[in-house]
Amino acid sequence: MNGDNIVQLGTYRHALRGIIGWIYATYFPDEYKPFSGSPQTVLFISQNQDQSQSQFIKMVLDLQNRINKEITKSKDDPKKLSFLNKVKSGLNHVKDGTALLNLLLKTAQDFRINISELSSLVG
């Protein structure tokens, strides 16, 4: 490689920051401004939040599938069927793990289902 193809890293970063800043100012004026803090920290936090949210969504979908299977098995048990349908309908309003746990425990309490039964139904 000859010297003509080398770009100073500082110059490249400065130009790239300028382009990104212009894009944000033009298309995302109300969004968090890039490079106002540590870019690596912001990117890491965002990736972490995305991964956590994806994992939570997967967990809720897995639980919903488990509930659907239990509903088909519990046709002869109206108490179980009512409990499962109540939990299933509440899943749409759950935003995080704490709310999910609260939904499960509160609904189990309302239907007088003990922890062992709850675990076998949704665990």
Side-chain angles (χ1 to χ4, degrees):
M1 200 172 216
N2 63 26
D4 295 334
N5 294 330
I6 296 175
V7 175
Q8 292 295 322
L9 186 58
T11 305
Y12 180 73
R13 281 184 180 166
H14 182 70
L16 189 57
R17 275 186 163 179
I19 291 169
I20 292 171
W22 177 82
I23 290 171
Y24 264 81
T26 304
Y27 297 102
F28 309 104
D30 298 328
E31 294 289 320
Y32 176 78
K33 303 293 186 248
F35 310 118
S36 60
S38 172
Q40 289 104 0
T41 303
V42 172
L43 181 60
F44 178 73
I45 290 171
S46 178
Q47 286 174 342
N48 243 2
Q49 289 170 340
D50 289 346
Q51 288 172 348
S52 294
Q53 188 175 22
S54 295
Q55 289 170 340
F56 178 71
I57 290 169
K58 183 185 180 321
M59 181 177 66
V60 170
L61 291 174
D62 289 345
L63 178 59
Q64 193 169 27
N65 285 335
R66 172 84 174 161
I67 289 171
N68 286 336
K69 288 177 185 175
E70 286 296 321
I71 286 173
T72 58
K73 288 192 229 173
S74 302
K75 296 283 186 199
D76 299 331
D77 189 342
K79 178 182 165 185
K80 255 189 212 178
L81 194 57
S82 295
F83 167 76
L84 292 167
N85 283 318
K86 176 100 177 192
V87 170
K88 185 178 175 182
S89 68
L91 289 177
N92 295 332
H93 307 290
V94 170
K95 303 271 187 253
D96 58 22
T98 304
L100 177 59
L101 188 57
N102 188 37
L103 170 68
L104 290 171
L105 294 175
K106 174 89 173 83
T107 308
Q109 182 181 22
D110 292 346
F111 283 85
R112 300 195 194 300
I113 292 176
N114 67 40
I115 295 296
S116 297
E117 290 174 302
L118 177 62
S119 179
S120 70
L121 287 172
V122 297

